[in-house]
């Protein structure tokens, strides 16, 4: 669709209808995936082409007798945040603040109360060190987590699958020596994974100590800010 065709309403003032057009235009420019575990509810791929929304987050929320889709608001946030990180090299917290304001305005333009929407996000968001992340996209942009010093938590998100001993090797004549070698290789693989998880736990413990000693904690994720619409 040509850009001119995307403009259904015209105004140079703050206008809910124009903002609705913006959200729809953003939606056409990315792919949305609900197939993975995503820290802080939503994120984006390194190449900007995919917005990831946590697979456990409800697709809709009830509002005034209807079901309102959540993805348009989340993708508005993620696309703007990613653009600011890549093009202007902002720190995540600054990019997040601007994106959160855009998300809030998109929610309100749709006629949904911001407090109700935000409470749903808080309900579904957990601190990253308490997340059980079993399926994380390989191309997830980790910039926000690095900027917030959550990097040690990234280790072990997706444990490499240990190699298996093939059936043909198990049933082949004279394969016992090769099987023993394969088992040694698998054991070494598992030891490496265990060391990585152990180092991650140590690093995470150090970060917790530093944060506990700080006078105030950095706001993290979507629940770090409280913006009232009223």
């Amino acid at each position: 669709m040509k850009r001119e065709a995307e403009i259904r309403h015209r105004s140079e003032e703050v206008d809910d209808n124009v903002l609705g057009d913006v959200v729809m235009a953003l939606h056409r420019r990315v792919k949305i995936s609900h197939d993975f575990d995503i820290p802080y509810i939503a994120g984006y791929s390194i190449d900007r082409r995919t917005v990831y929304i946590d697979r456990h987050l409800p697709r809709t929320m009830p509002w005034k007798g209807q079901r309102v889709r959540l993805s348009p608001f989340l993708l508005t946030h993620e696309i703007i945040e990613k653009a600011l990180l890549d093009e202007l090299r902002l720190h995540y917290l600054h990019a997040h603040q601007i994106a959160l304001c855009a998300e809030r305005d998109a929610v309100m333009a749709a006629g949904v109360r911001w407090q109700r929407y935000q409470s749903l996000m808080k309900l579904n968001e957990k601190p990253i060190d308490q997340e059980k992340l079993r399926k994380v996209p390989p191309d997830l942009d980790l910039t926000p987590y690095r900027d917030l010093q959550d990097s040690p938590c990234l280790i072990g998100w997706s444990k490499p699958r240990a190699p298996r001993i093939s059936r043909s090797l198990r049933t082949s004549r004279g394969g016992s020596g090769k099987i023993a070698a394969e088992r040694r290789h698998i054991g070494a693989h598992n030891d490496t994974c265990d060391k990585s998880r152990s180092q991650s736990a140590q690093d995470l413990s150090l970060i917790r100590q530093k944060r506990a000693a700080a006078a105030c904690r950095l706001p993290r994720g979507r629940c770090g800010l409280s913006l009232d619409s009223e």
Side-chain angles (χ1 to χ4, degrees), residues 27 30-34 49-53 69 71-72 75:
H27 197 293
V30 297
K31 173 186 175 183
I32 299 178
S33 171
H34 297 269
R49 295 181 179 180
T50 306
V51 169
Y52 294 109
I53 299 175
R69 290 190 305 123
S71 58
L75 73 84

Side-chain angles (χ1 to χ4, degrees), residues 71-91:
S71 58
F73 313 131
L74 293 170
L75 73 84
T76 298
H77 179 120
E78 302 304 327
I79 291 174
I80 292 174
E81 182 178 285
K82 173 65 170 171
L84 292 171
L85 290 174
D86 287 357
E87 300 301 328
L88 298 182
R89 312 300 297 174
L90 290 183
H91 188 282

Side-chain angles (χ1 to χ4, degrees), residues 127-186:
I128 193 170
D129 53 357
Q130 297 179 17
E131 286 270 25
K132 295 182 180 179
L133 305 169
R134 305 185 186 280
K135 189 180 180 184
V136 179
D139 62 343
L140 180 67
D141 190 340
L142 303 183
T143 301
Y145 316 108
R146 293 194 183 102
D147 280 1
L148 293 181
Q149 298 183 339
D150 284 325
S151 300
C153 303
L154 311 184
I155 302 175
W157 272 4
S158 54
K159 177 181 175 181
R161 182 177 295 179
R164 290 185 173 184
I165 300 174
S166 67
R167 181 177 180 181
S168 60
L169 183 59
R170 293 197 305 267
T171 58
S172 64
R173 181 177 299 178
S176 57
K178 293 181 180 180
I179 289 176
E182 284 293 317
R183 284 176 174 164
R184 287 194 297 271
H185 175 62
I186 292 173

Side-chain angles (χ1 to χ4, degrees), residues 10-223:
R10 294 181 179 272
S11 175
E12 294 185 4
E13 305 298 328
V14 176
D15 187 282
D16 290 347
N17 292 324
V18 175
L19 185 53
D21 291 347
V22 173
V23 173
M24 292 179 63
L26 291 174
H27 197 293
R28 296 187 186 100
R29 283 158 173 77
V30 297
K31 173 186 175 183
I32 299 178
S33 171
H34 297 269
D35 300 328
F36 297 94
D37 299 323
I38 307 298
Y40 304 146
I41 296 180
Y44 28 76
S45 62
I46 296 172
D47 65 6
R48 322 182 209 187
R49 295 181 179 180
T50 306
V51 169
Y52 294 109
I53 299 175
D54 189 84
R55 57 179 174 164
H56 302 105
L57 181 72
R59 301 287 183 93
T60 62
M61 64 174 287
W63 181 250
K64 294 185 176 180
Q66 299 180 344
R67 304 295 303 187
V68 178
R69 290 190 305 123
L70 301 177
S71 58
F73 313 131
L74 293 170
L75 73 84
T76 298
H77 179 120
E78 302 304 327
I79 291 174
I80 292 174
E81 182 178 285
K82 173 65 170 171
L84 292 171
L85 290 174
D86 287 357
E87 300 301 328
L88 298 182
R89 312 300 297 174
L90 290 183
H91 188 282
Y92 163 73
L93 285 177
H94 291 168
H96 171 77
Q97 179 70 208
I98 296 171
L100 189 62
C101 290
E103 179 184 5
R104 177 198 59 185
D105 288 350
V107 169
M108 294 171 61
V112 178
R113 190 163 176 256
W114 171 248
Q115 279 186 320
R116 180 69 62 84
Y117 172 86
Q118 194 185 39
S119 66
L120 176 64
M121 294 300 155
K122 288 182 178 182
L123 184 64
N124 285 274
E125 184 181 65
K126 298 178 181 178
I128 193 170
D129 53 357
Q130 297 179 17
E131 286 270 25
K132 295 182 180 179
L133 305 169
R134 305 185 186 280
K135 189 180 180 184
V136 179
D139 62 343
L140 180 67
D141 190 340
L142 303 183
T143 301
Y145 316 108
R146 293 194 183 102
D147 280 1
L148 293 181
Q149 298 183 339
D150 284 325
S151 300
C153 303
L154 311 184
I155 302 175
W157 272 4
S158 54
K159 177 181 175 181
R161 182 177 295 179
R164 290 185 173 184
I165 300 174
S166 67
R167 181 177 180 181
S168 60
L169 183 59
R170 293 197 305 267
T171 58
S172 64
R173 181 177 299 178
S176 57
K178 293 181 180 180
I179 289 176
E182 284 293 317
R183 284 176 174 164
R184 287 194 297 271
H185 175 62
I186 292 173
H189 169 92
N190 290 333
D191 288 344
T192 300
C193 291
D194 291 341
K195 289 179 181 178
S196 294
R197 289 196 299 273
S198 176
Q199 183 63 46
S200 174
Q202 294 174 13
D203 292 343
L204 183 56
S205 177
L206 180 60
I207 285 179
R208 284 172 174 168
Q209 293 174 16
K210 289 181 179 179
R211 288 178 175 175
C216 62
R217 300 180 64 181
L218 289 174
R220 300 191 303 167
R222 214 167 302 278
C223 61

